[in-house]
Amino acid sequence: MQYLIGEFNHQIDNKNRIRIPNKLAGDEKGFYFAPGLDGCLNVYYEEAFNALTTQLRDKYKTSDVEGQKAIRTFAKNFEWIEGDAQGRMILPAQLKEYAKIVKDIVTCGAGSHIEIWAKEVHDEYFKNEKENLGAVYMNLDICL
């Protein structure tokens, strides 16, 4: 599985269609979408989604009542969205509302998955980005 990187600015159209940028989309014809943390949408390749479901299945046994609730909550929040011939995908209203998307969006690689943000939410979340990036580098054993 590839490590997804980069950030792309674009817009949702008046028919609630979006595109995953080519550099992130690869050869995928559709993706698994779900509400993410901090107000973004998480978007997964099928391979990454399958890895998540395997982890859940291995972690929570059928007799684990709270585990089964976690699995149900996880599953009911995901939606498979396939692109049309031009690669456009219709974003369901509940996901659009959750992410507070009006027009401008930012699509980012987030390692194992893609994130879609309303531009305003993204800009607020990352307003101290340079300080946060410094903290990441300080916690890694790398030379810049």
Side-chain angles (χ1 to χ4, degrees):
M1 183 167 59
Q2 65 181 318
Y3 194 84
L4 301 165
I5 60 172
E7 178 178 288
F8 306 88
N9 292 288
H10 47 113
Q11 297 180 330
I12 190 167
D13 72 14
N14 59 359
K15 295 180 181 176
N16 291 332
R17 295 179 301 192
I18 62 167
R19 275 183 217 267
I20 302 295
N22 289 339
K23 289 186 177 182
L24 294 175
D27 295 330
E28 302 291 312
K29 301 298 181 214
F31 297 89
Y32 289 93
F33 282 68
L37 300 175
D38 303 310
C40 69
L41 300 177
N42 286 350
V43 181
Y44 293 90
Y45 281 35
E46 186 166 1
E47 179 183 0
F49 179 77
N50 289 339
L52 286 173
T53 59
T54 298
Q55 286 179 39
L56 280 172
R57 195 171 40 248
D58 291 347
K59 181 174 176 97
Y60 299 116
K61 303 304 174 206
T62 312
S63 59
D64 180 349
V65 174
E66 286 302 310
Q68 290 306 306
K69 186 175 184 179
I71 288 172
R72 289 179 182 112
T73 301
F74 174 85
K76 78 182 201 81
N77 280 290
F78 269 85
E79 214 168 310
W80 169 257
I81 303 175
E82 195 164 343
D84 65 12
Q86 288 78 39
R88 299 171 298 195
M89 292 171 265
I90 297 173
L91 191 62
Q94 74 274 11
L95 291 176
K96 183 180 173 191
E97 182 180 321
Y98 171 82
K100 300 179 182 166
I101 293 172
V102 177
K103 189 70 172 169
D104 294 321
I105 59 177
V106 180
T107 303
C108 307
S112 64
H113 64 283
I114 299 164
E115 294 180 342
I116 298 176
W117 297 77
K119 179 152 179 36
E120 301 79 13
V121 175
H122 173 271
D123 290 352
E124 177 62 25
Y125 183 83
F126 287 102
K127 69 182 175 187
N128 296 320
E129 180 177 20
K130 288 183 180 31
E131 296 162 22
N132 296 339
L133 187 57
V136 169
Y137 285 132
M138 294 293 287
N139 289 307
L140 295 175
D141 189 22
I142 60 172
C143 297
L144 297 176

